[in-house]
């Protein structure tokens, strides 16, 4: 489970660094974005549940993992850009793992199922959210019409439920993460989109 | 008082969801914005005074109230857009109630009058601030020339003072909220504007 | 040391208020930006290390110092704009002092050297980061090619090391702050720039 978390941080760090490359930022800004994308979601979670100082600033292993993703991008970015498809898979994998891990940490801290779902969701989407705010793009979680936060929320709910009813095990966690990942990738592949503002039955769109 | 807080969350949730409709976001992003606008200010307050986990992620009643505002907008938005004027009143009402409630919570947590004024102000303006950052608009509290933060700050000061001198009662709170609301609405009606950067006496504007 | 911190808050407050003047915001928005720029970095630090309520909302002296910077700008901004060069020096001075003070506070709270470096860095760059997000500009710490976060990070590391090995004294702190300031100013003067994304050896730039 711990290895999976490091993998999630690493891939999220890559996505942050790629955003820096697109903006032509310097190497230090790239590392800062790799760090904030890899560990920002966990930082929000830890502040919200009172687990301060957050692991995102205390753990060498976590920090170096996120920075390693950034350094990889610094040297490999033309090749990684060609691997764009693979990145989308990795990014979805990071989302899936972060959500499960974040929800479990919330439950372990005893903040209750509802708050655990929220902190699970924040762990999954928080890093990317801050990354997008910093590079001045619409946050992917809001912009994206394909399913992104919906599988994350369902996964967080399922995780909280299995912990609550004491049937959680690492295998269950892995299965939920896999289900989130699958749902996200299938929605991308099939171009499933969440509905926009309701337009009524056969009425012309009037909202603006 | 508790009922008024739920009303404030509900109306703030509506304003967040309307921002999502304007951006043509999907239903989930709409709910996320309703949640963050309705409860984001209280979240900041709770993190700042150390009341973690914040009620904004632990209380079903609060969360469902904010989401209810979002769902209402999802189905009614063309009609709500026509009710724009009413929304401005509701938004001002939410600001007024949030400020009083937030300041009281600060005082109850024993953070002192100055910090209570700040957390009251954050409770009032925080949700809208995050909403505006997420949809990439200039925050209303900064952009708006009509009185917005000034009545909020005065109201927070008055609330802190009445609690400090032990003359606070729910009626006093309601009166202060009403005064904030009135000041805000009158300033909108009369087009009262706070002064911009000082231009000196009869000097040409040179700042840029 | 305490006097230096107030000076840092004052000059950071000035830079926030100048951003408000550029956007032609009203006096209250100007004061809000002065406050958030002067004290926002310390606020992040205190939330991350669990020192709540943060001094940025509890200390009259800190709050009034930041607001005094704002009021000065309100009345003097055409003259301050002419002093732009001096402002850059002051801003670099605020960065240098904030970093040293923030790192020490982290070490005193016992969060360990790594987390102390992070909170020192946040104290230095956090206020300007929030200022830039609020006025919708690319954050200076990311945008700027001249050395900004690098001297800050090195200074935070050095401060943490001297505290860790028990050789820290106010004079050492002042020397480190002075070194950060010098490194920043020399890099501006000499136009030293951190490298952008690595382009390989003699290869054409392909990243976009």
């Amino acid at each position: 489970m711990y290895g999976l978390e490091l993998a999630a941080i690493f891939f999220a760090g890559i996505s942050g660094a790629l955003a820096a490359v697109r903006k032509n930022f310097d190497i230090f800004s790239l590392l800062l974005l790799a760090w904030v994308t890899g560990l920002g979601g966990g930082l929000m979670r830890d502040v919200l549940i009172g687990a301060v100082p957050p692991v995102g600033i205390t753990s060498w292993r976590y920090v170096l993992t996120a920075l390693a993703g950034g350094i990889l991008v610094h040297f490999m970015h033309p090749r990684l850009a060609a691997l764009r498809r693979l990145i989308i898979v990795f990014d979805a994998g990071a989302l899936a793992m972060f959500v499960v891990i974040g929800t479990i940490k919330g439950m372990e801290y005893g903040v209750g199922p509802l708050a655990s779902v929220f902190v699970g969701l924040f762990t999954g989407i928080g890093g990317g959210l801050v990354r997008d705010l910093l590079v001045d793009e619409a946050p992917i979680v809001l912009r994206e019409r394909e399913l992104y936060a919906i599988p994350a929320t369902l996964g967080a709910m399922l995780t909280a439920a299995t912990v609550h009813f004491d049937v959680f095990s690492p295998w269950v966690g892995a299965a939920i993460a896999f289900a989130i990942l699958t749902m996200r990738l299938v929605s991308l592949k099939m171009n499933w989109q969440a509905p926009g503002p309701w337009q009524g039955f056969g009425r012309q769109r009037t909202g603006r």
Side-chain angles (χ1 to χ4, degrees), chain A:
Chain A
M1 207 86 191
Y2 184 70
L4 287 183
E5 185 168 13
L6 290 181
I9 292 168
F10 184 68
F11 293 124
I14 287 177
S15 85
L18 284 172
V21 168
R22 277 200 299 272
K23 292 276 170 176
N24 204 25
F25 286 152
D26 68 34
I27 170 73
F28 195 90
S29 302
L30 179 147
L31 292 176
L32 209 64
L33 275 168
W35 173 80
V36 87
T37 312
L39 298 167
L43 214 74
M44 288 185 194
R45 174 199 61 207
D46 290 351
V47 165
L48 288 175
I49 65 177
V52 290
V55 288
I57 62 171
T58 56
S59 160
W60 280 101
R61 212 167 294 187
Y62 284 21
V63 169
L64 291 178
T65 302
L67 297 184
I71 288 163
L72 185 77
V73 168
H74 183 64
F75 288 110
M76 309 273 290
H77 62 92
R79 242 164 295 175
L80 284 171
L83 295 175
R84 218 179 127 272
R85 243 162 231 279
L86 203 54
I87 294 289
I88 289 178
V89 179
F90 287 148
D91 180 88
L95 173 71
M97 289 184 274
F98 274 145
V99 163
V100 173
I101 290 161
T103 308
I104 292 169
K105 184 156 185 184
M107 292 301 284
E108 278 172 357
Y109 257 76
V111 297
L114 180 66
S116 297
V117 168
F118 270 109
V119 298
L121 193 57
F122 278 126
T123 312
I125 70 178
L129 198 72
V130 177
R131 176 199 61 208
D132 293 343
L133 284 179
L134 290 178
V135 301
D136 200 18
E137 293 194 351
I140 190 175
V141 60
L142 296 176
R143 186 182 57 204
E144 176 93 6
R145 288 309 267 274
E146 277 86 26
L147 307 185
Y148 188 90
I150 295 175
T153 307
L154 293 178
M157 285 176 176
L158 207 53
T159 306
T162 55
V163 175
H164 188 68
F165 295 112
D166 219 7
V167 295
F168 186 83
S169 76
W171 290 109
V172 171
I176 295 173
F178 187 74
I180 299 174
L181 174 62
T182 306
M183 196 168 159
R184 166 85 179 123
L185 293 181
V186 169
S187 95
L188 279 171
K189 184 78 188 169
M190 311 293 279
N191 203 29
W192 286 345
Q193 303 202 340
W198 197 66
Q199 300 308 326
F201 297 108
R203 210 193 312 153
Q204 281 295 108
R205 170 170 180 78
T206 57
R208 184 84 282 269

